[in-house]
Amino acid sequence: MDETCPVCRTADVVCGKWTLLIIRDLAEGRARFCELERSLKGISPRTLSIRLRALEEGGILERQTYAEVPPRVEYALTEKGRALIPIVDTMREYGATWLAADCAAVPAAA
């Protein structure tokens, strides 16, 4: 990887599996672990925990712990994380325009 290339450095942040989907979900606002787990079909709790920790360490999201019984933890995007929302929005537009049409053009399996 070229450490001087902004595209390479950004790809290093966003190309981790599940990362953009976590950002997509947190773009709507704060979420709890169980809410993210439900939204991200197929992610294991361990993988979600690892991704959330990595994104927190990278300054993409922040974790807020509330002193309640049982303890409540919520995740939210930081300013650095919110700056990635346009990338997710562009991917959504691309998928709707280019990939949905491709899917519609593929004949259904008999």
Side-chain angles (χ1 to χ4, degrees), residues 52-63:
L52 290 171
R53 191 173 307 117
L55 291 170
E56 183 179 11
E57 289 170 3
I60 304 298
L61 60 82
E62 61 187 2
R63 173 183 144 136

Side-chain angles (χ1 to χ4, degrees), residues 21-40:
L21 298 177
I22 292 169
I23 292 166
R24 174 202 65 191
D25 287 356
L26 291 176
E28 302 296 321
R30 296 186 166 276
R32 296 174 72 173
F33 186 92
C34 61
E35 294 168 336
L36 291 169
E37 189 178 20
R38 268 193 304 271
S39 175
L40 302 169

Side-chain angles (χ1 to χ4, degrees), residues 77-104:
L77 294 174
T78 61
E79 181 179 354
K80 184 177 179 181
R82 286 189 301 275
L84 294 169
I85 293 172
I87 294 172
V88 174
D89 290 341
T90 300
M91 290 177 73
R92 181 181 291 115
E93 290 170 20
Y94 178 89
T97 301
W98 294 101
L99 303 179
D102 290 348
C103 293

